[in-house]
């Protein structure tokens, strides 16, 4: 195959990754997938189908390093990150907010792949891990809420703390894990910003997207925690055992992985990234950025 043929194949594979990862303008199918039952949506939006697209692009990243393809992947991912976060602000359907949040986070992962440095790829892999757990927990919680109040409308969740305190507690953990340190998703976003130090356009879009992300999550958490004076003390709702078990498992996993973010980056992610770039001639000094957990300022 000629070099031009290889380049064409690489472009087509990236486009395939964009469609699978619901990058704009291919996001329509992911929004349509919300009609699925909540457990199915949790799998689709957190750790299975959508992650296949970003996984493909990450694996291809060393092949298009320092090319026009790399720059375009970075810009498209950053634009998707900003645009989807902006669209999520105006949504009242909880599943739509989660869907746009998923598209936005996938855009950030794709942008890191386009930045295409060991530090950026490390951030992308960490984002895949932390986003999958947090988003699965939020989707399951929304399903439980919908089953109890027969609505996905965030406005209808006002005062939910007094009715379903345990479920709200789980949702608050899930939301905070996406926007506040020391949770792993926030650490991963900070690392991605570090990777854009010499790319002002991408850095600006990542900062704007992060601001919009905080805005729509804060809007939701405000509705959940809003209470009316004089209401009786909330009583723990009764949930099936496996609901409680799933929520506790996911919440504990988020907390443990966030505490272990440094070793996870240095012992698990770094060797994987070193393997990706070993055939690209990356110098040992540059690879040490990800091999040493101390190279991440926030860790």
């Amino acid at each position: 195959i000629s070099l031009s043929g290889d380049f064409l194949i690489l472009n087509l594979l990236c486009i395939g990754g964009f469609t699978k990862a619901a990058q704009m303008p291919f996001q329509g199918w992911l929004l349509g997938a919300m009609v699925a039952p909540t457990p199915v949506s949790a799998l689709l939006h957190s750790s299975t189908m959508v992650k296949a697209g970003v996984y493909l692009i990450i694996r291809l990243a060393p092949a298009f390093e320092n090319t026009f393809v790399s720059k375009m992947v970075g810009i498209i991912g950053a634009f998707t990150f900003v645009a989807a976060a902006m669209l999520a602000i105006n949504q009242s359907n909880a599943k739509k907010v989660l869907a746009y949040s998923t598209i936005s986070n996938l855009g950030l992962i794709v942008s890191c792949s386009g930045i295409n440095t060991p530090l950026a790829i490390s951030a992308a892999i960490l984002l895949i891990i932390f986003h999958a757990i947090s988003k699965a927990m939020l989707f399951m919680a929304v399903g439980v809420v919908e089953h109890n109040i027969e609505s996905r409308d965030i406005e209808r969740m006002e005062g939910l703390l007094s009715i379903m305190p345990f479920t709200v507690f789980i949702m608050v953990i899930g939301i905070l894990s996406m926007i506040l340190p020391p949770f792993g998703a926030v650490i991963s976003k900070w690392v991605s910003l570090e990777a854009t130090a010499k790319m002002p356009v991408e850095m600006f879009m990542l900062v704007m997207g992060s601001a919009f992300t905080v805005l729509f999550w804060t809007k939701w958490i405000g509705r959940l925690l809003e209470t009316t004076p004089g209401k009786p003390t909330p009583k723990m709702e009764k949930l099936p055992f496996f609901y409680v078990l799933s929520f506790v498992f996911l919440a504990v996993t988020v907390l443990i992985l966030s505490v272990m973010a440094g070793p996870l980056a240095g012992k698990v992610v770094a060797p994987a990234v070193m393997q990706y770039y070993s055939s690209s001639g990356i110098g040992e000094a540059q690879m040490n950025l990800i091999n040493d957990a101390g190279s991440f300022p926030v860790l």
Side-chain angles (χ1 to χ4, degrees), residues 54 57-62 64-65 70 73 108-128 191-192 195 269-270 272-274 276-277 287 290 296:
V54 292
I57 295 173
I58 289 173
R59 291 302 299 264
L60 291 173
F64 56 71
E65 183 189 7
S70 186
V73 168
L108 180 57
I109 296 170
V110 169
S111 181
C112 290
S113 303
I115 295 169
N116 214 340
T117 64
L119 193 61
I121 296 298
S122 298
I125 295 172
L126 290 170
L127 281 166
I128 288 176
V191 175
S192 67
V269 175
V273 175
M274 292 176 73
Y276 293 164
Y277 281 90
M287 293 309 303
I290 57 170
F296 294 100

Side-chain angles (χ1 to χ4, degrees), residues 4-20:
S4 59
D6 291 342
F7 186 76
L8 176 61
I9 291 171
L10 195 58
N11 276 271
L12 293 175
L13 286 171
C14 286
I15 292 173
F18 289 156
T19 57
K20 195 69 171 176

Side-chain angles (χ1 to χ4, degrees), residues 126-127 130 177 180-189 254 257-259 261:
L126 290 170
L127 281 166
F130 291 115
S177 71
L180 287 181
F183 291 104
V186 183
I187 292 173
S188 305
K189 289 179 181 180
V254 166
L257 286 180
S258 296
V259 171

Side-chain angles (χ1 to χ4, degrees), residues 71-83 85-86 104 108 111 193 196 199-213:
K71 293 179 181 178
M72 289 306 300
V73 168
I75 292 294
I76 291 172
F79 174 77
T80 300
F81 178 53
V82 175
M86 190 185 305
S104 180
L108 180 57
S111 181
L193 284 172
T196 61
M199 302 176 179
V201 176
E202 286 89 338
M203 176 177 281
F204 174 77
M205 286 194 284
L206 263 57
V207 170
M208 292 299 298
S210 298
F212 292 142
T213 298

Side-chain angles (χ1 to χ4, degrees), residues 218-233:
T218 304
K219 170 187 171 184
W220 191 351
I221 205 171
R223 283 286 180 264
L224 290 172
L225 299 180
E226 188 173 350
T227 58
T228 302
K231 278 196 172 183
T233 303

